[in-house]
Amino acid sequence: MHATVVGSIHLDWVLRVPALPAPGDTVLASSRTTSPGGKGANQAVTLRRLGAQVEMVGVVGDDDAGRELLANFDALGVGRGHVRVAAGEPSGIAVVAVDASGDNGILVAPGASGTLSPADVAGAAAAVDGAAVVLLQLEVPLETVSATVAAARAAGVPVVLNAAPARPLPDELVAALDVLVVNEGEALTLAGADAGPERSVAAAAEALLARGARAVVVTLGGDGALVLDASGRTVVPAHRVEVVDTTGAGDTFVAALAVGVGEGRDLRDSARLAAAAAALAVQRPGAQSAPTLAEAQTFLSGADGR
Ligand code: RIB
């Protein structure tokens, strides 16, 4: 299965902290590491681990971080023939604070990732048109996301958009999606007033479905994921595991779901595999901690002895 990811590539600066800072706080970190990240790159790496052939479309800077990020793709077998190296732009970075319970707060300076343009996507037309699924997020310019979605639709390629971080989306973009994946906060942000006076996630998800996406999936953290489409509404439960680091867990979930979309599988079955993959990812540090397909299937079947 061939998948193409259009999105961000960052170097993550990961700080382990006792608690995430509140406004005005200064918090001392107990450790500092760097590792490859960016929602686009994390999702590309997850797709690869789950067995897909993956093309990444993105931009890095002409700097040490950019070279490290390209080498990471090479080491993991992610195609990067459509990753542009931007002269004069720093590679994107994210400062990722991870607290004692594994929860995180993230600041992103997109740098080169913020220059990913519709022209870059046009240059990768063969990768988009020839994919079984195209996967995007919102850490790159919206005009680039819109151009990609339009190109994929025109070629009849299914599109999965992970609307993270959330920002208002044009109706025609939402209506062109096969699957829209958001967390609870993102669902409420995207739905705006349509979430109702009680700011209900279920109402927000219904409103997003009514805007024309073929399916909406809302990740609910430890409560699982809400799957909505024309056939109804289903909650896929999460797995209770020991959490080390939640960074990139959403990316693992989204990419695993996209594998199912690319392979034409049932969306709810795909969400169950995605929940298993995310449960394995949160037990490991880093944003690119997704399991292999065999690991996820074994976990899902319970054959790992839990
Ligand atoms: O979803 C996690 C990712 O968000 C991190 O890797 C960071 O780079 C930000 O893009």
Side-chain angles (χ1 to χ4, degrees), residues 8 10 12 36-39 42 93-94 96 106 108 139 247-248 251 287:
S8 56
H10 302 148
D12 287 354
K39 294 185 195 306
N42 298 344
I93 63 157
V96 182
I106 301 178
V108 171
E139 287 184 325
T247 313
D251 298 328

Side-chain angles (χ1 to χ4, degrees), residues 54-160:
V54 187
E55 280 299 324
M56 179 78 210
V57 182
V59 190
V60 296
D62 185 10
D63 51 19
D64 287 345
R67 285 181 277 283
E68 180 178 338
L69 295 165
L70 293 178
N72 182 55
F73 287 140
D74 291 344
L76 297 174
V78 172
R80 47 97 163 175
H82 300 291
V83 176
R84 177 165 55 85
V85 178
E89 289 284 349
S91 292
I93 63 157
V95 177
V96 182
V98 182
D99 73 12
S101 63
D103 284 333
N104 66 72
I106 301 178
L107 300 170
V108 171
S113 277
T115 73
L116 184 67
S117 69
D120 290 313
V121 175
V128 171
D129 295 359
V133 62
V134 168
L135 177 52
L136 305 108
Q137 320 74 36
L138 295 179
E139 287 184 325
V140 296
L142 188 57
E143 61 169 348
T144 307
V145 172
S146 296
T148 308
V149 172
R153 291 302 300 175
V157 177
V159 180
V160 177

